[in-house]
């Protein structure tokens, strides 16, 4: 009855006015977010492409800024240090992926059972993830002490004194691996939470059915848990890879890219070019390249997810 | 189910229950030990911050004395808890807190309003805007930072609180998280309220907001951690003590010839406390709201 009444022509006009009012209200609600994103995200993003094709310095000079085309990109691609930094973050990614995701997966599996102190345990395992990277550097800075810091003591004890103390941050062969260790420790908590969420998303009935069929715990893990977590695995691997390619803070604080450029990373290279050498155009070119790398990884994720049909 | 249990001999059922229970306790203990190993570096930090001699801290590090302090003292904290001067860690902490609260509170409002309209609004370009949000999510902070610094310094915002808050309030990720959360609430809610003549903002504020505690908690934790731990951005846009956050201040310990580990440790503990409180306050909703939100995105 009421529905019929609202559609009579006599009531049409107020309804329209109300629609208009609603539209304005919705626009007012959506405006702040999109305005802020337009200013602080879209504008600098578009600017970075423009700046990358100029010779703009960080501090304005009297000489006019010139358009230089792709010269900055050419220079970046012919700088061996850029390739070193790209190689370093690739090395970092290859090491940190199995360590960090493995740790996250393992702790999530342990926490997924119904244990009496589950919440406490979850909180404890998540603690490193809420610790600021700067604080992590203070802690690991002491753990890495050479020659008699805690890590060297542990290595010496486990090897019965056969392995000489390692100069964790000072030895070019070890520096990146040390950064890997502290990074994996700091960040695995987030991936653990994502895995926990993924584990909770697997229907209990599937396990019951497998149990009735007489499947062992190992087979249940392999044929129920693993397939159920496929989208989670893809998601975790991709965000960890993207995170790894943006490696900066721990390197900037602990090693400044050294020793012998063994921990130089793409973002550190960019910040140095932009703010120490004041070559804004050049640094912008690096930032565009970084964006393209991240974009490619994100597209790969989409493709993988589609392929797994999830 | 209850029939099955009843047909079993009572003693057998109890024995089984006991076995399972002790197994669980053993399991819990094992996991607890792993957890303690994982957080032992943090415990060491706390202990070291209570020792007054930086050389002793390093000397103790190599042994079990790293986990024990016989004469705890707060002298390190007293040394750095100033509001002006060289060790104004009280001020840095305060700065970080101001930035955190301002970012999270305004971020919750701005992002949830946008997410709400994207989920339930009647705007014609809704689908396009949503696609834009998803696309913008790919852009990493690091790749917009160069031009952004120049923009901010031209706007005269260097060395202010605003420059550390405004750029990170609206975020594609959080708009999308809110959108996803709102979209999975029943349609009837919106329709019923609309029939009663409630405006869009009213529906958002009085019906959807009270229901979205899990989403608000999750976004608070994520935004809070992100804001608290910002490092690259504030190093580029702060030059004086005025608005310098604690993360940047702690990093300056590493620039010195000989690192004052005692003070660095105390400052680190100070830095951990607020974010720990934030996490403890909201963690109840944290994991559950991740289900289906993060992974499907």
């Amino acid at each position: 009855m009421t529905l019929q009444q609202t559609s009579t022509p006599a009531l049409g006009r107020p309804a329209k006015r109300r629609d208009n009012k609603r539209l304005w209200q919705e626009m007012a609600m959506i405006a702040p977010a999109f305005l802020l994103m337009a200013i602080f995200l879209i504008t600098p993003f578009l600017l970075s492409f423009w700046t990358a094709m100029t010779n703009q310095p960080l501090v304005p000079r009297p000489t006019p800024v010139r358009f230089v085309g792709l010269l900055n990109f050419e220079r970046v691609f012919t700088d061996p240090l850029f390739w070193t930094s790209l190689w370093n973050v690739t090395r970092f990614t290859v090491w940190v992926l199995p360590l960090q995701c493995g740790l996250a997966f393992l702790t999530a599996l342990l926490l997924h059972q119904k244990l009496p102190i589950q919440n406490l345990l979850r909180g404890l395992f998540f603690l490193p993830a809420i610790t600021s990277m700067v604080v992590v550097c203070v802690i690991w800075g002491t753990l890495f002490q050479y020659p008699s810091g805690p890590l060297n003591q542990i290595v010496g004890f486990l090897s019965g004194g056969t392995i000489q103390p390692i100069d964790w941050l000072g030895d070019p062969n070890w520096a990146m691996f040390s950064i890997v260790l502290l990074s994996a420790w700091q960040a695995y908590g987030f991936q653990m939470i994502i895995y926990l969420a993924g584990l909770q998303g697997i229907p209990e009935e599937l396990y019951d059915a497998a149990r009735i069929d007489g499947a062992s715990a190992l087979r249940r893990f392999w044929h129920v848990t693993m397939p159920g977590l496929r989208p989670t695995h893809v998601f975790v691997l991709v965000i960890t890879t993207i995170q790894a390619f943006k490696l900066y803070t721990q390197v900037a604080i602990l090693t400044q890219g050294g020793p012998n450029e063994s921990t130089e990373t793409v973002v550190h290279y960019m910040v140095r070019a932009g703010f120490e050498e004041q070559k804004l155009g050049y640094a912008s070119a690096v930032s565009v390249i970084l964006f393209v790398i991240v974009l490619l990884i994100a597209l790969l994720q989409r493709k993988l997810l589609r392929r797994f049909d999830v | 189910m209850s029939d099955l249990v009843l047909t079993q001999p009572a003693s057998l059922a109890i024995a089984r229950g006991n076995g399972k229970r002790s197994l669980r306790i053993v399991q819990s203990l094992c996991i607890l030990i792993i957890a303690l190993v994982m957080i032992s570096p943090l415990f060491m930090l706390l202990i070291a911050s209570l020792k007054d001699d930086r050389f002793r801290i390093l000397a103790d590090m190599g042994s079990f004395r790293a986990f024990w302090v016989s004469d705890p003292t707060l002298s390190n904290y007293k040394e750095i808890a100033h509001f002006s001067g060289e060790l104004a860690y009280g001020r840095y902490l305060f700065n970080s807190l101001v930035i955190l609260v301002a970012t999270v509170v305004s971020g919750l409002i701005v992002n949830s309003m946008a997410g709400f309209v994207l989920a339930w609004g009647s705007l014609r370009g809704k689908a396009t805007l949503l696609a834009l949000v998803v696309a913008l999510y790919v852009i990493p902070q690091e790749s917009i930072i160069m031009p952004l610094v120049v923009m901010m310094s031209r706007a005269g915002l260097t060395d202010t609180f605003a420059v550390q808050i405004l750029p990170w309030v609206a975020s594609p990720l959080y708009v999308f998280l809110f959108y996803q959360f709102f979209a999975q609430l029943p349609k009837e809610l919106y329709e019923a309220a609309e029939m009663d003549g409630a405006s869009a903002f009213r529906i958002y504020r009085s019906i959807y907001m009270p229901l979205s505690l899990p989403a608000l908690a999750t976004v608070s934790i994520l935004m809070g951690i992100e804001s608290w731990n910002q490092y690259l951005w504030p190093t580029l846009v702060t030059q004086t003590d005025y608005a310098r956050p604690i993360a940047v201040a702690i990093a300056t310990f590493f620039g010195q010839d000989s690192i004052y580990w005692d003070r660095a440790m105390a400052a680190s503990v100070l830095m951990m406390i607020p974010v720990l409180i934030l996490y403890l306050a909201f963690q109840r909703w944290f994991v559950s709201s991740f289900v289906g939100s993060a992974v499907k995105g």
Side-chain angles (χ1 to χ4, degrees), chain A residues 213-224:
Chain A
D213 289 348
S216 65
L218 195 67
R219 286 182 67 93
R220 286 200 301 268
F221 173 75
W222 200 248
H223 293 288
V224 180

Side-chain angles (χ1 to χ4, degrees), chain B residues 207-218:
Chain B
I207 298 175
Y208 279 79
M209 268 296 112
L211 284 174
S212 57
L213 222 54
L216 289 171
T218 303

Side-chain angles (χ1 to χ4, degrees), chain A residues 22 25-26 33 40 44 113 115-116 124 126-127 131-132 138 142-143 150 153 185 246 253 270 275 280 287, chain B residues 27 31 38-39 44 61-62 121-123 142-143 146-147 150 194 199-201 229 254 261 271-272 276 279:
Chain A
R22 191 173 136 197
Q25 226 179 28
E26 282 177 10
F40 295 108
Q113 300 143 16
L115 297 168
L124 286 181
F126 196 65
L127 266 184
T131 308
S132 163
V138 170
T142 55
L143 294 184
Q153 300 284 353
W185 178 79
K246 300 192 292 189
I253 293 176
M270 175 186 87
F275 295 95
L280 192 70
S287 77
Chain B
Q27 251 179 346
I31 301 170
M38 290 309 281
I39 64 152
M44 246 168 56
M61 272 292 168
S122 51
L123 282 178
E142 288 79 359
S143 70
M146 287 290 143
V150 178
E194 205 185 8
S199 69
F201 183 73
N229 297 347
F254 288 93
W261 290 111
M271 186 175 180
M272 284 208 67
L276 193 63
Y279 174 70

Side-chain angles (χ1 to χ4, degrees), chain B residues 41-106:
Chain B
L42 289 170
F43 186 63
M44 246 168 56
L45 172 77
L46 180 68
I47 295 295
S49 76
L50 300 171
K51 295 176 182 173
D52 62 351
D53 181 357
R54 65 192 159 117
F55 300 108
R56 189 176 138 207
I57 288 174
L58 288 184
D60 284 358
M61 272 292 168
S63 68
F64 285 104
R65 268 173 303 179
F67 297 105
W68 182 248
V69 53
S70 47
D71 48 345
T73 164
L74 289 177
S75 64
N76 296 327
Y77 292 92
K78 279 178 197 147
E79 270 170 39
I80 61 163
H82 297 294
F83 283 85
S84 60
E86 220 173 296
L87 295 166
Y89 281 83
R91 160 142 214 148
Y92 304 137
L93 195 65
F94 173 79
N95 289 347
S96 282
L97 275 174
V98 170
I99 295 163
L100 171 93
V101 172
T103 311
V104 172
V105 171
S106 49

Side-chain angles (χ1 to χ4, degrees), chain A residues 83-95:
Chain A
W83 291 105
T84 308
S85 68
L86 199 58
W87 167 239
N88 282 339
V89 286
T90 312
R91 266 192 320 153
F92 175 78
T93 309
V94 169
W95 282 337

Side-chain angles (χ1 to χ4, degrees), chain B residues 119-175:
Chain B
W120 296 107
S122 51
L123 282 178
R124 210 170 293 152
K126 226 173 61 172
T128 321
L129 287 177
L130 188 63
L132 179 71
V133 167
V134 174
L136 288 178
Y137 172 50
V138 181
I139 304 174
Q141 192 206 63
E142 288 79 359
S143 70
I144 59 163
I145 225 158
M146 287 290 143
L148 196 56
V149 169
V150 178
M151 278 170 64
M152 294 298 103
S153 76
R154 297 238 166 108
L157 287 172
T158 308
D159 236 1
T160 58
F161 284 96
V163 76
Q164 297 180 73
I165 297 164
L166 285 176
W168 319 121
V169 167
S171 150
L173 172 64
Y174 303 132
V175 170

